[in-house]
Amino acid sequence: MAEETLVVLKRREMSEPWSFQTFVDSGGYQAIRKAVTEMTPEEVIKLVQDSGLRGRGGAGMGTGLKWSLIPKDSPKARYVVCNGDEGEPGAFHDRELMETDPHALIEGMLCAAYAIGARHCFIYCRGEFILARDRLAKAIQEAYDNNYLGENIMGTTFSCDMVLHRGAGAYICGEETALLESLEGYRGMPRPRPPFPVTEGLYASPTVVNNVQSLQAAGQVILNGAEWYRRWGTEKSPGTLVCSVSGAVNNPRNVEVPLGTSVADVLELCGGVDDRGLKAFAPGGWSTPMLPPDKLDATMDYEGMVAAGSVLGASSIIAVPNDMCIVRAVWRGSKFYSHESCGKCTPCREGTYWVERILEDIEHGRADERDLERLEAVNNGMSGFKSLCALAEFAAGPVGSSIVHFREEYEEHIRLKACPHQMQAVAS
Amino acid sequence: MTDTRVLSEDFYTRAKQIVARYPVARSALIMLLHDAQDEVGYVDDDVIREVGSVLGLTPADVEGVATFYTMFKRRHPGKFLISLCTNMSCTINGADETAAALRDAVGPEHETTSDGVCSWESVECLATCHWAVAAQVNYLDIPYLTPDRATKLVSDLKAGRDLDEILSELRAAKSLQEAKSG
């Protein structure tokens, strides 16, 4: 039986883990103290690089590597931005991490700010997260009151300010350049890259954009060392990972496990698949290619998921039950992408629109074989990184993978001129 | 123009403080729109003009931003806005049935009951998939919104029951099964 390994979730069972007192009583603000009083910024970056910690936002870039790419000689101000705009369908770990341990996020951001020489930090918290907003706002105030933010932190020459910013309902703002546009007060539309945010990010200045979990893990790495963190996980994907698990499972929740833990073990930690049985699962949120049950031994790490034919994404497993119509599920997902496409790039704006409509036709028995071909053609036209950001890629994943694994369900809809699941529901 | 302002003096005082947090004033735009909407209930043309005046932006510029984000409402929603997640994990666990119950109890999506109390909308993933079917009322989280619980929620809101009380009752359920057996 797999076991949970609580690193970033280590305060989850403590009493009021979000309070300043609980945080400092359990080792809080010792990482930034160690960094500022015992280490140079270069040593901090090297330590995080040595730990092998990779970004948990989806792309999996080395957190320390990202910090190291901030130009040393730029005369511009540098910024640290936390991406707390969690919106991937099926993902709910960043919300829990912000709600339960807001001070750990502040500390991780302070470590990043010290490492890259930033004076200003911004937390971009999803607009719908009221509890996270309130807890973060209180934690930031407490950090100012106790000299962990502001001028001359802990009596040193290190000074840093932090602003809590709210989104307002736009999935696309989870993409880092769209997030920066939004943070600058514009519509959240992605920017061309290069230049990358590390050289021209917020206000065209060097900016590190890190995910909530990456920043919280970085704090622990700095306190406990690279070797300590490498005790868990795999050579290429070290450490622990919080997985959100939902859908057709008995005890849906967030679990933290070493990277490299199998999907089967993660599901077992959540009470297993419920009595509806498992038809398929998306391993990294709905935007990652779905896999059939014979891939349950695939491992939750960057390489393992690619080998299994998907990606780790936001490490959020959605279990699709046997009684769910795959076409209906993929159609519902496609509405999400066409709604959230910002409309800037043609393949995404047009592709998501047409995919949704063709899927609707198939689900409602209005399609023939040519529509299935058309669906594949539009889907292929949308994928292959033809747009500024990955949203079209995300939209194409569930469609393409479902056609690979469940082609017969699509064909049955076309043959019957109806949804077999709906027919069954009507008959019973 | 001052005498026709829809936003309060307090808003303008808060706005100054919010703008001062940012190295570049325009960054405060979304926060100001949130603040104004919290005060007025929605973002109409007056709000757009007045928020723009704080930052020196044209109404067209502000409207372009406001309409990009789903949380900013151009029409007045009900006093209580119920947001129902109909994304994947919630659909898997019965969101379609809850949506039907809300349609019966409130009316069509985005419409408001004639007493002005309730409106509802289906929304994308709220990041509380472990609480599927997940929902919010005025952005406060509700777990396991089964059709029966949705119907009761609407009648409680229309009856003027205290929101905190309603929420703590709804949050007492610890699983979807428990909520269903209710």
Short mmCIF file of all heavy atoms in Angstrom, two decimals, chain A residues 87-140:
data_model
loop_
_atom_site.label_atom_id
_atom_site.label_comp_id
_atom_site.label_asym_id
_atom_site.label_seq_id
_atom_site.Cartn_x
_atom_site.Cartn_y
_atom_site.Cartn_z
N GLY A 87 -6.95 26.77 -12.53
CA GLY A 87 -8.23 26.64 -13.21
C GLY A 87 -8.32 25.40 -14.07
O GLY A 87 -9.34 25.15 -14.70
N GLU A 88 -7.26 24.61 -14.08
CA GLU A 88 -7.28 23.39 -14.87
C GLU A 88 -8.38 22.46 -14.36
O GLU A 88 -8.42 22.16 -13.16
CB GLU A 88 -5.91 22.70 -14.78
CG GLU A 88 -5.84 21.32 -15.41
CD GLU A 88 -6.22 21.31 -16.88
OE1 GLU A 88 -6.00 22.33 -17.56
OE2 GLU A 88 -6.78 20.30 -17.34
N PRO A 89 -9.29 22.01 -15.24
CA PRO A 89 -10.34 21.12 -14.77
C PRO A 89 -9.77 19.89 -14.05
O PRO A 89 -8.96 19.17 -14.62
CB PRO A 89 -11.07 20.72 -16.05
CG PRO A 89 -10.84 21.87 -16.97
CD PRO A 89 -9.45 22.35 -16.66
N GLY A 90 -10.18 19.71 -12.82
CA GLY A 90 -9.71 18.59 -12.02
C GLY A 90 -8.63 18.94 -11.03
O GLY A 90 -8.28 18.15 -10.16
N ALA A 91 -8.06 20.15 -11.13
CA ALA A 91 -6.96 20.54 -10.24
C ALA A 91 -7.49 21.36 -9.07
O ALA A 91 -8.24 22.32 -9.27
CB ALA A 91 -5.91 21.35 -11.01
N PHE A 92 -7.14 20.97 -7.85
CA PHE A 92 -7.52 21.75 -6.68
C PHE A 92 -6.44 21.75 -5.61
O PHE A 92 -6.72 21.98 -4.44
CB PHE A 92 -8.88 21.29 -6.12
CG PHE A 92 -9.03 19.79 -5.93
CD1 PHE A 92 -8.87 19.21 -4.69
CD2 PHE A 92 -9.39 18.98 -7.00
CE1 PHE A 92 -9.03 17.84 -4.50
CE2 PHE A 92 -9.55 17.60 -6.83
CZ PHE A 92 -9.37 17.03 -5.58
N HIS A 93 -5.19 21.52 -6.03
CA HIS A 93 -4.12 21.48 -5.01
C HIS A 93 -3.59 22.87 -4.65
O HIS A 93 -3.32 23.15 -3.49
CB HIS A 93 -2.98 20.55 -5.40
CG HIS A 93 -2.64 20.51 -6.86
ND1 HIS A 93 -2.25 21.62 -7.57
CD2 HIS A 93 -2.63 19.48 -7.75
CE1 HIS A 93 -2.00 21.27 -8.81
NE2 HIS A 93 -2.24 19.98 -8.97
N ASP A 94 -3.47 23.74 -5.66
CA ASP A 94 -2.93 25.07 -5.34
C ASP A 94 -3.87 25.83 -4.41
O ASP A 94 -3.45 26.58 -3.54
CB ASP A 94 -2.69 25.87 -6.61
CG ASP A 94 -1.58 25.26 -7.45
OD1 ASP A 94 -0.90 24.34 -6.96
OD2 ASP A 94 -1.39 25.69 -8.61
N ARG A 95 -5.18 25.61 -4.64
CA ARG A 95 -6.17 26.25 -3.76
C ARG A 95 -5.96 25.77 -2.32
O ARG A 95 -5.88 26.59 -1.40
CB ARG A 95 -7.58 25.91 -4.24
CG ARG A 95 -8.65 26.65 -3.47
CD ARG A 95 -9.96 25.89 -3.56
NE ARG A 95 -10.96 26.50 -4.40
CZ ARG A 95 -12.05 27.14 -3.93
NH1 ARG A 95 -12.22 27.30 -2.65
NH2 ARG A 95 -12.95 27.61 -4.76
N GLU A 96 -5.83 24.44 -2.15
CA GLU A 96 -5.63 23.94 -0.77
C GLU A 96 -4.31 24.46 -0.19
O GLU A 96 -4.24 24.84 0.97
CB GLU A 96 -5.65 22.40 -0.72
CG GLU A 96 -5.39 21.89 0.69
CD GLU A 96 -5.54 20.39 0.90
OE1 GLU A 96 -6.01 19.68 0.00
OE2 GLU A 96 -5.19 19.94 2.02
N LEU A 97 -3.26 24.50 -1.03
CA LEU A 97 -1.96 24.96 -0.52
C LEU A 97 -2.02 26.43 -0.10
O LEU A 97 -1.41 26.82 0.88
CB LEU A 97 -0.88 24.75 -1.60
CG LEU A 97 -0.50 23.29 -1.85
CD1 LEU A 97 0.33 23.16 -3.12
CD2 LEU A 97 0.25 22.70 -0.66
N MET A 98 -2.74 27.26 -0.85
CA MET A 98 -2.85 28.68 -0.47
C MET A 98 -3.74 28.85 0.75
O MET A 98 -3.47 29.70 1.60
CB MET A 98 -3.42 29.49 -1.65
CG MET A 98 -2.43 29.66 -2.80
SD MET A 98 -2.96 30.85 -4.04
CE MET A 98 -4.22 29.94 -4.91
N GLU A 99 -4.80 28.04 0.83
CA GLU A 99 -5.72 28.19 1.96
C GLU A 99 -5.12 27.68 3.26
O GLU A 99 -5.34 28.27 4.32
CB GLU A 99 -7.03 27.42 1.68
CG GLU A 99 -7.91 28.10 0.64
CD GLU A 99 -9.16 27.29 0.28
OE1 GLU A 99 -9.30 26.14 0.76
OE2 GLU A 99 -9.98 27.81 -0.48
N THR A 100 -4.36 26.56 3.19
CA THR A 100 -3.87 25.96 4.43
C THR A 100 -2.50 26.50 4.84
O THR A 100 -2.21 26.54 6.02
CB THR A 100 -3.77 24.43 4.35
OG1 THR A 100 -2.93 24.10 3.26
CG2 THR A 100 -5.12 23.79 4.18
N ASP A 101 -1.68 26.89 3.90
CA ASP A 101 -0.32 27.28 4.28
C ASP A 101 0.12 28.56 3.56
O ASP A 101 1.14 28.56 2.85
CB ASP A 101 0.65 26.13 4.00
CG ASP A 101 1.81 26.10 4.97
OD1 ASP A 101 2.00 27.10 5.70
OD2 ASP A 101 2.55 25.10 4.99
N PRO A 102 -0.60 29.67 3.75
CA PRO A 102 -0.26 30.89 3.01
C PRO A 102 1.13 31.44 3.36
O PRO A 102 1.82 31.98 2.49
CB PRO A 102 -1.37 31.87 3.43
CG PRO A 102 -1.88 31.36 4.72
CD PRO A 102 -1.76 29.86 4.64
N HIS A 103 1.54 31.25 4.62
CA HIS A 103 2.86 31.76 4.99
C HIS A 103 3.98 31.01 4.26
O HIS A 103 5.03 31.59 3.96
CB HIS A 103 3.07 31.66 6.51
CG HIS A 103 2.38 32.74 7.27
ND1 HIS A 103 2.84 34.04 7.31
CD2 HIS A 103 1.25 32.73 8.01
CE1 HIS A 103 2.02 34.78 8.06
NE2 HIS A 103 1.03 34.01 8.49
N ALA A 104 3.76 29.72 4.00
CA ALA A 104 4.79 28.95 3.27
C ALA A 104 4.95 29.50 1.85
O ALA A 104 6.05 29.47 1.29
CB ALA A 104 4.41 27.48 3.22
N LEU A 105 3.86 30.01 1.29
CA LEU A 105 3.96 30.62 -0.03
C LEU A 105 4.73 31.94 0.05
O LEU A 105 5.61 32.22 -0.78
CB LEU A 105 2.56 30.85 -0.63
CG LEU A 105 2.53 31.52 -1.99
CD1 LEU A 105 3.35 30.73 -3.01
CD2 LEU A 105 1.10 31.66 -2.49
N ILE A 106 4.41 32.73 1.06
CA ILE A 106 5.14 34.00 1.24
C ILE A 106 6.63 33.71 1.39
O ILE A 106 7.48 34.36 0.78
CB ILE A 106 4.60 34.76 2.47
CG1 ILE A 106 3.15 35.19 2.23
CG2 ILE A 106 5.49 35.96 2.79
CD1 ILE A 106 2.44 35.74 3.46
N GLU A 107 6.96 32.70 2.21
CA GLU A 107 8.37 32.38 2.44
C GLU A 107 9.06 31.92 1.16
O GLU A 107 10.18 32.34 0.86
CB GLU A 107 8.52 31.32 3.53
CG GLU A 107 9.99 30.99 3.79
CD GLU A 107 10.23 30.17 5.04
OE1 GLU A 107 9.39 29.31 5.36
OE2 GLU A 107 11.27 30.41 5.70
N GLY A 108 8.38 31.07 0.39
CA GLY A 108 8.97 30.61 -0.87
C GLY A 108 9.22 31.78 -1.81
O GLY A 108 10.24 31.84 -2.50
N MET A 109 8.28 32.72 -1.84
CA MET A 109 8.44 33.89 -2.71
C MET A 109 9.57 34.78 -2.22
O MET A 109 10.32 35.35 -3.03
CB MET A 109 7.13 34.67 -2.78
CG MET A 109 6.03 33.90 -3.52
SD MET A 109 4.49 34.81 -3.62
CE MET A 109 4.88 36.00 -4.91
N LEU A 110 9.72 34.89 -0.90
CA LEU A 110 10.84 35.67 -0.36
C LEU A 110 12.17 35.05 -0.79
O LEU A 110 13.11 35.75 -1.15
CB LEU A 110 10.75 35.73 1.17
CG LEU A 110 9.75 36.73 1.75
CD1 LEU A 110 9.56 36.48 3.24
CD2 LEU A 110 10.22 38.17 1.50
N CYS A 111 12.23 33.72 -0.73
CA CYS A 111 13.47 33.03 -1.14
C CYS A 111 13.76 33.31 -2.61
O CYS A 111 14.92 33.59 -2.98
CB CYS A 111 13.34 31.52 -0.92
SG CYS A 111 13.27 31.05 0.83
N ALA A 112 12.72 33.26 -3.45
CA ALA A 112 12.92 33.54 -4.88
C ALA A 112 13.35 34.99 -5.07
O ALA A 112 14.24 35.29 -5.87
CB ALA A 112 11.62 33.27 -5.65
N ALA A 113 12.73 35.89 -4.32
CA ALA A 113 13.06 37.32 -4.44
C ALA A 113 14.51 37.57 -4.05
O ALA A 113 15.24 38.32 -4.71
CB ALA A 113 12.12 38.15 -3.58
N TYR A 114 14.94 36.93 -2.96
CA TYR A 114 16.33 37.09 -2.52
C TYR A 114 17.28 36.53 -3.60
O TYR A 114 18.29 37.14 -3.93
CB TYR A 114 16.54 36.37 -1.19
CG TYR A 114 17.97 36.41 -0.71
CD1 TYR A 114 18.54 37.60 -0.26
CD2 TYR A 114 18.75 35.26 -0.72
CE1 TYR A 114 19.87 37.64 0.16
CE2 TYR A 114 20.07 35.28 -0.30
CZ TYR A 114 20.63 36.48 0.14
OH TYR A 114 21.94 36.52 0.55
N ALA A 115 16.91 35.38 -4.15
CA ALA A 115 17.78 34.71 -5.12
C ALA A 115 17.97 35.54 -6.39
O ALA A 115 19.06 35.59 -6.96
CB ALA A 115 17.22 33.33 -5.48
N ILE A 116 16.91 36.21 -6.86
CA ILE A 116 17.03 36.93 -8.13
C ILE A 116 17.19 38.45 -7.93
O ILE A 116 17.34 39.18 -8.90
CB ILE A 116 15.83 36.67 -9.07
CG1 ILE A 116 14.54 37.30 -8.53
CG2 ILE A 116 15.66 35.18 -9.33
CD1 ILE A 116 13.47 37.52 -9.59
N GLY A 117 17.16 38.90 -6.69
CA GLY A 117 17.33 40.33 -6.44
C GLY A 117 16.08 41.15 -6.74
O GLY A 117 16.15 42.24 -7.29
N ALA A 118 14.91 40.59 -6.37
CA ALA A 118 13.65 41.30 -6.62
C ALA A 118 13.22 42.06 -5.37
O ALA A 118 13.38 41.58 -4.26
CB ALA A 118 12.56 40.32 -7.02
N ARG A 119 12.66 43.23 -5.59
CA ARG A 119 12.14 44.02 -4.47
C ARG A 119 10.62 43.86 -4.37
O ARG A 119 10.04 44.05 -3.31
CB ARG A 119 12.52 45.49 -4.71
CG ARG A 119 11.89 46.50 -3.78
CD ARG A 119 12.36 46.27 -2.36
NE ARG A 119 11.38 46.76 -1.40
CZ ARG A 119 11.57 47.79 -0.59
NH1 ARG A 119 12.72 48.45 -0.61
NH2 ARG A 119 10.64 48.15 0.26
N HIS A 120 9.97 43.50 -5.48
CA HIS A 120 8.51 43.38 -5.48
C HIS A 120 8.05 41.98 -5.88
O HIS A 120 8.56 41.42 -6.85
CB HIS A 120 7.89 44.39 -6.45
CG HIS A 120 7.88 45.78 -5.93
ND1 HIS A 120 8.82 46.71 -6.29
CD2 HIS A 120 7.03 46.39 -5.07
CE1 HIS A 120 8.55 47.85 -5.67
NE2 HIS A 120 7.48 47.69 -4.92
N CYS A 121 7.09 41.47 -5.11
CA CYS A 121 6.48 40.18 -5.42
C CYS A 121 4.98 40.36 -5.58
O CYS A 121 4.37 41.18 -4.90
CB CYS A 121 6.70 39.17 -4.29
SG CYS A 121 8.41 38.80 -3.93
N PHE A 122 4.39 39.57 -6.48
CA PHE A 122 2.95 39.61 -6.70
C PHE A 122 2.39 38.20 -6.62
O PHE A 122 2.94 37.28 -7.22
CB PHE A 122 2.62 40.19 -8.07
CG PHE A 122 3.08 41.62 -8.24
CD1 PHE A 122 4.37 41.90 -8.69
CD2 PHE A 122 2.23 42.67 -7.93
CE1 PHE A 122 4.80 43.20 -8.83
CE2 PHE A 122 2.65 43.99 -8.07
CZ PHE A 122 3.94 44.26 -8.52
N ILE A 123 1.30 38.07 -5.88
CA ILE A 123 0.56 36.80 -5.90
C ILE A 123 -0.68 37.02 -6.75
O ILE A 123 -1.51 37.87 -6.44
CB ILE A 123 0.13 36.34 -4.49
CG1 ILE A 123 1.35 36.20 -3.58
CG2 ILE A 123 -0.65 35.02 -4.57
CD1 ILE A 123 0.99 35.84 -2.14
N TYR A 124 -0.77 36.28 -7.86
CA TYR A 124 -1.96 36.36 -8.71
C TYR A 124 -2.87 35.22 -8.29
O TYR A 124 -2.67 34.07 -8.66
CB TYR A 124 -1.57 36.24 -10.19
CG TYR A 124 -2.70 36.54 -11.16
CD1 TYR A 124 -2.73 37.75 -11.85
CD2 TYR A 124 -3.74 35.64 -11.38
CE1 TYR A 124 -3.76 38.04 -12.74
CE2 TYR A 124 -4.77 35.92 -12.26
CZ TYR A 124 -4.76 37.13 -12.94
OH TYR A 124 -5.78 37.41 -13.82
N CYS A 125 -3.85 35.56 -7.46
CA CYS A 125 -4.75 34.56 -6.89
C CYS A 125 -6.05 34.55 -7.69
O CYS A 125 -6.63 35.60 -7.95
CB CYS A 125 -5.04 34.90 -5.43
SG CYS A 125 -6.15 33.75 -4.60
N ARG A 126 -6.50 33.37 -8.07
CA ARG A 126 -7.73 33.28 -8.86
C ARG A 126 -8.88 34.03 -8.18
O ARG A 126 -9.07 33.91 -6.97
CB ARG A 126 -8.09 31.81 -9.08
CG ARG A 126 -9.21 31.65 -10.05
CD ARG A 126 -9.43 30.22 -10.44
NE ARG A 126 -10.78 30.08 -10.94
CZ ARG A 126 -11.40 28.95 -11.18
NH1 ARG A 126 -10.77 27.81 -10.98
NH2 ARG A 126 -12.62 28.94 -11.62
N GLY A 127 -9.65 34.77 -8.95
CA GLY A 127 -10.68 35.64 -8.39
C GLY A 127 -11.74 34.94 -7.57
O GLY A 127 -12.26 35.50 -6.60
N GLU A 128 -12.06 33.70 -7.95
CA GLU A 128 -13.13 32.97 -7.26
C GLU A 128 -12.69 32.42 -5.92
O GLU A 128 -13.52 31.89 -5.18
CB GLU A 128 -13.62 31.81 -8.14
CG GLU A 128 -14.38 32.23 -9.41
CD GLU A 128 -13.46 32.47 -10.60
OE1 GLU A 128 -12.25 32.66 -10.40
OE2 GLU A 128 -13.96 32.46 -11.73
N PHE A 129 -11.39 32.51 -5.59
CA PHE A 129 -10.89 31.90 -4.35
C PHE A 129 -10.97 32.90 -3.20
O PHE A 129 -9.98 33.54 -2.84
CB PHE A 129 -9.43 31.44 -4.51
CG PHE A 129 -9.21 30.32 -5.51
CD1 PHE A 129 -7.92 29.88 -5.76
CD2 PHE A 129 -10.27 29.70 -6.16
CE1 PHE A 129 -7.68 28.85 -6.67
CE2 PHE A 129 -10.04 28.67 -7.07
CZ PHE A 129 -8.74 28.25 -7.32
N ILE A 130 -12.14 33.01 -2.59
CA ILE A 130 -12.33 34.01 -1.54
C ILE A 130 -11.58 33.64 -0.26
O ILE A 130 -10.93 34.48 0.37
CB ILE A 130 -13.84 34.18 -1.24
CG1 ILE A 130 -14.57 34.65 -2.51
CG2 ILE A 130 -14.06 35.15 -0.09
CD1 ILE A 130 -14.12 35.98 -3.04
N LEU A 131 -11.66 32.37 0.14
CA LEU A 131 -10.96 31.96 1.36
C LEU A 131 -9.45 32.11 1.21
O LEU A 131 -8.76 32.60 2.11
CB LEU A 131 -11.34 30.52 1.72
CG LEU A 131 -10.74 29.97 3.02
CD1 LEU A 131 -11.20 30.79 4.22
CD2 LEU A 131 -11.12 28.49 3.21
N ALA A 132 -8.93 31.71 0.06
CA ALA A 132 -7.49 31.85 -0.18
C ALA A 132 -7.09 33.32 -0.14
O ALA A 132 -6.07 33.69 0.45
CB ALA A 132 -7.12 31.24 -1.53
N ARG A 133 -7.92 34.16 -0.74
CA ARG A 133 -7.63 35.60 -0.72
C ARG A 133 -7.57 36.12 0.71
O ARG A 133 -6.61 36.80 1.10
CB ARG A 133 -8.72 36.36 -1.47
CG ARG A 133 -8.56 37.87 -1.35
CD ARG A 133 -9.82 38.62 -1.73
NE ARG A 133 -10.89 38.41 -0.74
CZ ARG A 133 -12.09 38.95 -0.84
NH1 ARG A 133 -12.39 39.73 -1.86
NH2 ARG A 133 -13.00 38.72 0.08
N ASP A 134 -8.57 35.75 1.51
CA ASP A 134 -8.61 36.25 2.88
C ASP A 134 -7.42 35.75 3.70
O ASP A 134 -6.80 36.50 4.45
CB ASP A 134 -9.93 35.84 3.55
CG ASP A 134 -11.12 36.55 2.94
OD1 ASP A 134 -10.91 37.54 2.18
OD2 ASP A 134 -12.27 36.13 3.20
N ARG A 135 -7.10 34.47 3.53
CA ARG A 135 -5.98 33.91 4.31
C ARG A 135 -4.66 34.51 3.86
O ARG A 135 -3.78 34.82 4.68
CB ARG A 135 -5.97 32.38 4.16
CG ARG A 135 -7.21 31.72 4.75
CD ARG A 135 -6.84 30.72 5.82
NE ARG A 135 -8.02 30.23 6.52
CZ ARG A 135 -8.58 29.02 6.31
NH1 ARG A 135 -8.05 28.19 5.42
NH2 ARG A 135 -9.63 28.64 7.02
N LEU A 136 -4.49 34.69 2.55
CA LEU A 136 -3.24 35.28 2.05
C LEU A 136 -3.12 36.74 2.50
O LEU A 136 -2.05 37.18 2.90
CB LEU A 136 -3.20 35.20 0.52
CG LEU A 136 -2.85 33.83 -0.08
CD1 LEU A 136 -3.19 33.78 -1.57
CD2 LEU A 136 -1.37 33.50 0.13
N ALA A 137 -4.23 37.48 2.44
CA ALA A 137 -4.19 38.89 2.84
C ALA A 137 -3.78 39.01 4.31
O ALA A 137 -2.94 39.84 4.68
CB ALA A 137 -5.56 39.54 2.60
N LYS A 138 -4.36 38.14 5.15
CA LYS A 138 -4.03 38.18 6.57
C LYS A 138 -2.58 37.79 6.79
O LYS A 138 -1.85 38.42 7.57
CB LYS A 138 -4.96 37.22 7.34
CG LYS A 138 -4.76 37.20 8.83
CD LYS A 138 -6.02 36.67 9.53
CE LYS A 138 -5.91 36.77 11.04
NZ LYS A 138 -5.00 35.78 11.61
N ALA A 139 -2.13 36.74 6.08
CA ALA A 139 -0.76 36.27 6.23
C ALA A 139 0.24 37.34 5.80
O ALA A 139 1.27 37.55 6.46
CB ALA A 139 -0.55 34.98 5.43
N ILE A 140 -0.07 38.04 4.71
CA ILE A 140 0.84 39.10 4.24
C ILE A 140 0.93 40.20 5.31
O ILE A 140 2.02 40.69 5.64
CB ILE A 140 0.37 39.66 2.88
CG1 ILE A 140 0.62 38.63 1.78
CG2 ILE A 140 1.09 40.97 2.55
CD1 ILE A 140 0.00 38.98 0.42
#
